[in-house]
Amino acid sequence: MRRGRCGGVMNRAPGSCVLLAVLAGCAGPPRAESVGWSDPVTFNAELAYLESVVESTPPQDPRLAFLLLAEYLNANRVHDGIIFFQTQLDGGGQLDDRGRAVYLSCLGILRGRYADRINLAERSRWVQETTVMLEQARVLTGNDDYLVRFSIALVYAQLPSRFNKRAQAYHDLRWLVINRARAPEPGLVREVYFQLALMHEGDGDAELAAQYLTRAGYEGLDRTTMLLTSFAEDATTGHTFHPRRLAEVVPGRVFVLSGFEFTEHHFIVSADGQELIAIDAGTRPDSAEAAYRALLRQVGDLPPLTTVFFTHAHWDHIGGHRFFRRLNPEVIFYARDNYRAELDMVVQAEIPFSYFFGATYDNELISDFRPDVTVAQRSEVYRGGTRFELIPVPGGETPDGMFIFMPDDGVLFVGDFIMPFLGAPFFEEGSIPGLFEAMDIAASIAPEHILHGHETLTRNWDTPQKLVVLRVQLQWLHEQVLAGIRAGLSRGDLHRMNLIPPGLYEHPETQLIYLIMRENFINRAFDQNVGYWHADGTGLDDLGRAEYGAMLTTYLDLSPRALAGAIEKMIEAGDHHLAARLADWALVAYPDAPRLENLRREAYLKLKEKYQFANPFKFIIYSELAGDETPQLE
């Protein structure tokens, strides 16, 4: 068990709150052993949270264990991970067969990564023991669990031929491709394709290797990061959360189209079959048209589009409105009565990163958006025999939120009211009280289906029960942040507290979504309750990259070689944020240093890898800073 300097297991008593920790003088957990050059010096909040949760209650959601595994790998703390999972297995009284198999799988991957650090005389035995563990996991799950077979395939595909696992690796990898629809995360197939590319290259089939490499989304077999995500980045067309897909929520009536752009597209065929209704319009006319044409190909004849309900006036929900006007000039747009204030703000906002919506997006696309009907209070609208309830909500992301509810079908469209960033992270917006009120409204409606504006939101915030539990947890977190501010804590101090609400261990359904929310919630609450001068002195000066870059040479007299060596140590130790920041400063001092530029890119790629599951916005930004696109999965 990892213990903090306060003496207890890290945050096992979450109700102790920020203030008690301040008074006790807790400095956070000790630095853990690293496989790198040195111990990391930065606090890994995601790793600390996942360790605490997995240690306290064997997760019902195996993704938590695999997210923890991914954190260990990204931070180069493989030995720590081996000790952690072995400890859980050794004390595994609470583990059922599936849980034991998941932990054995995670341990197998970590041991496989660590094998080259084992003394050569002992390495064969180490590998044999690892394969025995993996085969135990296979047996415990009847050879029918995607994550377990994924783990086995990854290890076996990289073993030397003398271990006689190559044929089995091929078999498992092909099974994973055939059964990819069963993967808990669609992006896992990227690594399956990559391992098949490596194996075929090793067998001399360069053509087939190239095909699999392209499907994986890599330019070559020599890579810096392991991508297991369904997220994709295209500098021209922007970010997508999911491969292209059409799903029928209500057969023949309610359709969701994912992967055509940044936002989901929702279409409803009315009860009498005579009208088509859309929820939001996406980011650009071309992507809205692509989604509509895909629906037309899948369904066949569609009735005319008569109505579009808008959940809020953000770029990615209104930008395609012109296509719908062209499709039917008589179409009626519904939006909140206060949409104008939000629209004026986003039209004037310059998004500092182009990878979100792509180079083809321009705010001019939304400048002429006008609804035909504005909604000020809860209203009923009938379209083609289908009843819609339009429900204004304050929302967590924007003040002009509107729920669209189909009570006869149990479908609630909620837009982005629970976007983890509580508004766009580029400028100040979002409302924590508004979020809580909207959560209460959604929970009171108790729909059968909750459909959000983005695929990952729908996948994770999918039931009213989750909203009820999460509402209590976020209320507690809000109180802790405010208490910390009153105690003079910095934002970094709050993150280092690894704040875990009472009762979270007993609610596995919210353990992942609380992690996704926590960092952004703390940041938004802090920024909205603290001025630009902070208690720790942040904001009192205007030092920037230029000054820090000059400091490296003028006062510290550091050469490009010395700086590169320091950055390499940081990356090896898992201090990727520090490495990226130092590289940016160093390049101010030495703008023509290729080694520094390469290390900067490597640091940002490792940050992209770190956030590929729980923080898509960071994934987007780090992709752009690294200049690294990620092709969309088929």
Side-chain angles (χ1 to χ4, degrees):
M1 294 182 180
R2 293 187 61 204
R3 297 182 178 271
R5 292 177 188 168
C6 291
V9 176
M10 186 195 308
N11 211 26
R12 290 294 293 273
S16 59
C17 97
V18 171
L19 287 179
L20 289 180
V22 173
L23 295 173
C26 178
R31 296 179 298 172
E33 177 183 352
S34 169
V35 182
W37 293 74
S38 61
D39 291 345
V41 299
T42 56
F43 179 65
N44 189 325
E46 295 80 13
L47 183 60
Y49 174 86
L50 289 165
E51 281 184 330
S52 182
V53 171
V54 173
E55 180 183 57
S56 298
T57 54
Q60 294 182 18
D61 185 348
R63 290 180 299 172
L64 287 166
F66 275 85
L67 283 173
L68 176 56
L69 164 68
E71 287 292 338
Y72 281 129
L73 293 174
N74 175 263
N76 290 334
R77 291 171 61 172
V78 178
H79 188 258
D80 285 346
I82 291 171
I83 293 173
F84 180 89
F85 281 107
Q86 187 64 64
T87 300
Q88 304 313 303
L89 284 162
D90 291 344
Q94 300 181 63
L95 290 175
D96 58 14
D97 284 351
R98 174 86 189 287
R100 189 167 186 81
V102 167
Y103 286 3
L104 284 167
S105 301
C106 293
L107 183 58
I109 290 178
L110 290 163
R111 286 174 61 96
R113 177 71 69 89
Y114 197 70
D116 63 354
R117 295 179 178 270
I118 300 298
N119 182 285
L120 192 59
E122 300 292 328
R123 193 173 299 169
S124 290
R125 182 175 62 83
W126 175 272
V127 171
Q128 294 289 357
E129 290 173 351
T130 301
T131 61
V132 168
M133 292 176 181
L134 291 169
E135 290 303 322
Q136 287 176 354
R138 190 195 298 273
V139 171
L140 287 168
T141 53
N143 201 29
D144 196 45
D145 185 280
Y146 198 94
L147 283 173
V148 170
R149 292 193 71 167
F150 176 82
S151 304
I152 295 170
L154 256 61
V155 176
Y156 286 4
Q158 298 174 68
L159 289 179
S161 59
R162 68 177 182 275
F163 290 101
N164 298 317
K165 295 296 184 182
R166 197 167 186 81
Q168 184 63 58
Y170 264 126
H171 180 71
D172 285 328
L173 288 168
R174 288 165 180 153
W175 183 92
L176 293 166
V177 172
I178 293 169
N179 293 277
R180 57 179 292 188
R182 297 173 56 184
E185 163 54 53
L188 293 177
V189 77
R190 286 192 194 276
E191 186 63 16
V192 176
Y193 292 149
F194 182 78
Q195 293 301 328
L196 282 167
L198 281 176
M199 294 187 73
H200 284 297
E201 179 74 16
D203 291 339
D205 192 338
E207 182 178 353
L208 193 54
Q211 292 176 14
Y212 276 116
L213 191 63
T214 298
R215 295 179 74 181
Y218 292 102
E219 294 182 357
L221 294 172
D222 183 19
R223 62 179 183 179
T224 300
T225 57
M226 177 190 292
L227 293 182
L228 305 171
T229 181
S230 57
F231 300 159
E233 305 301 332
D234 187 290
T236 301
T237 58
H239 174 86
T240 54
F241 289 88
H242 197 276
R244 288 196 171 190
R245 177 192 66 177
L246 185 151
E248 295 185 50
V249 177
V250 177
R253 294 276 321 287
V254 179
F255 302 91
V256 181
L257 291 103
S258 304
F260 287 83
E261 55 144 297
F262 193 77
T263 307
E264 302 286 274
H265 285 270
H266 301 99
F267 292 96
I268 302 110
V269 175
S270 63
D272 65 5
Q274 299 303 302
E275 299 187 41
L276 185 67
I277 300 98
I279 308 296
D280 291 333
T283 308
R284 302 184 313 274
D286 64 298
S287 53
E289 181 172 6
Y292 173 80
R293 300 298 177 196
L295 177 64
L296 190 63
R297 288 192 298 271
Q298 182 75 18
V299 176
D301 291 336
L302 288 171
L305 179 76
T306 63
T307 309
V308 184
F309 297 118
F310 290 90
T311 62
H312 61 297
H314 259 182
W315 315 265
D316 50 318
H317 293 262
I318 63 174
H321 71 98
R322 294 177 185 174
F323 167 71
F324 289 138
R325 290 285 192 200
R326 291 198 306 267
L327 191 63
N328 178 12
E330 303 302 318
V331 67
I332 300 175
F333 287 175
Y334 286 78
R336 276 289 304 281
D337 60 323
N338 60 344
Y339 84 95
R340 185 76 240 180
E342 183 67 26
L343 179 63
D344 287 345
M345 183 169 62
V346 300
V347 167
Q348 296 170 19
E350 291 298 328
I351 300 174
F353 300 99
S354 64
Y355 273 30
F356 277 85
F357 307 141
T360 55
Y361 173 80
D362 190 283
N363 273 357
E364 187 269 338
L365 293 172
I366 64 175
S367 61
D368 60 343
F369 171 75
R370 298 289 185 279
D372 303 289
V373 180
T374 58
V375 179
Q377 59 189 4
R378 191 162 183 158
S379 311
E380 278 194 348
V381 175
Y382 287 83
R383 286 290 179 266
T386 298
R387 178 162 58 113
F388 295 91
E389 290 186 11
L390 309 182
I391 307 168
V393 296
E397 186 180 54
T398 68
D400 69 327
M402 184 166 71
F403 288 168
I404 297 95
F405 182 42
M406 299 171 61
D408 301 324
D409 299 278
V411 180
L412 178 66
F413 300 92
V414 297
D416 294 350
F417 89 97
I418 201 168
M419 174 66 71
F421 286 88
L422 281 80
F426 324 111
F427 58 91
E428 202 68 63
E429 65 170 345
S431 166
I432 291 173
L435 170 65
F436 291 156
E437 184 176 341
M439 292 175 80
D440 291 341
I441 294 171
S444 69
I445 293 171
E448 182 179 354
H449 305 284
I450 301 178
L451 302 180
H452 298 255
H454 302 280
E455 187 275 335
T456 52
L457 299 179
T458 296
R459 194 191 325 165
N460 288 301
W461 286 267
D462 56 345
T463 69
Q465 293 76 22
K466 287 184 180 179
L467 296 179
V468 170
V469 175
L470 185 64
R471 164 74 159 83
V472 175
Q473 295 169 347
L474 292 180
Q475 180 73 52
W476 176 90
L477 181 59
H478 192 217
E479 293 167 359
Q480 300 308 298
V481 173
L482 296 181
I485 291 171
R486 290 193 294 270
L489 292 183
S490 70
R491 191 173 68 174
D493 294 332
L494 289 166
H495 286 300
R496 284 187 285 273
M497 293 310 304
N498 193 28
L499 292 165
I500 297 177
L504 181 126
Y505 300 131
E506 287 73 50
H507 287 284
E509 72 276 16
T510 61
Q511 288 169 356
L512 178 57
I513 59 177
Y514 177 80
L515 171 64
I516 294 171
M517 290 285 296
R518 185 178 67 169
E519 178 189 359
N520 310 313
F521 189 96
I522 291 172
N523 290 343
R524 184 67 71 183
F526 189 87
D527 287 348
Q528 292 181 339
N529 287 278
V530 176
Y532 53 89
W533 285 5
H534 297 178
D536 66 352
T538 300
L540 289 170
D541 59 57
D542 58 357
L543 297 178
R545 186 178 299 180
E547 287 79 13
Y548 288 116
M551 172 191 69
L552 299 176
T553 55
T554 302
Y555 295 111
L556 299 179
D557 197 26
L558 294 172
S559 67
R561 179 177 180 180
L563 288 166
I567 295 167
E568 286 177 342
K569 290 181 181 180
M570 292 174 185
I571 293 173
E572 188 69 17
D575 280 327
H576 307 313
H577 292 95
L578 274 182
R581 187 65 59 87
L582 179 57
D584 282 332
W585 295 348
L587 283 165
V588 172
Y590 302 106
D592 299 318
R595 186 180 173 194
L596 290 174
E597 184 60 51
N598 290 337
L599 287 169
R600 175 190 179 276
R601 184 172 191 272
E602 183 178 349
Y604 280 122
L605 287 174
K606 294 302 292 184
L607 288 168
K608 173 179 178 175
E609 178 187 73
K610 175 179 173 62
Y611 292 107
Q612 64 181 301
F613 297 112
N615 197 318
F617 280 22
K618 285 192 177 183
F619 183 88
I620 295 168
I621 292 169
Y622 289 134
S623 294
E624 184 165 346
L625 290 173
D628 187 64
E629 298 179 80
T630 303
Q632 190 176 32
L633 287 166
E634 298 175 4

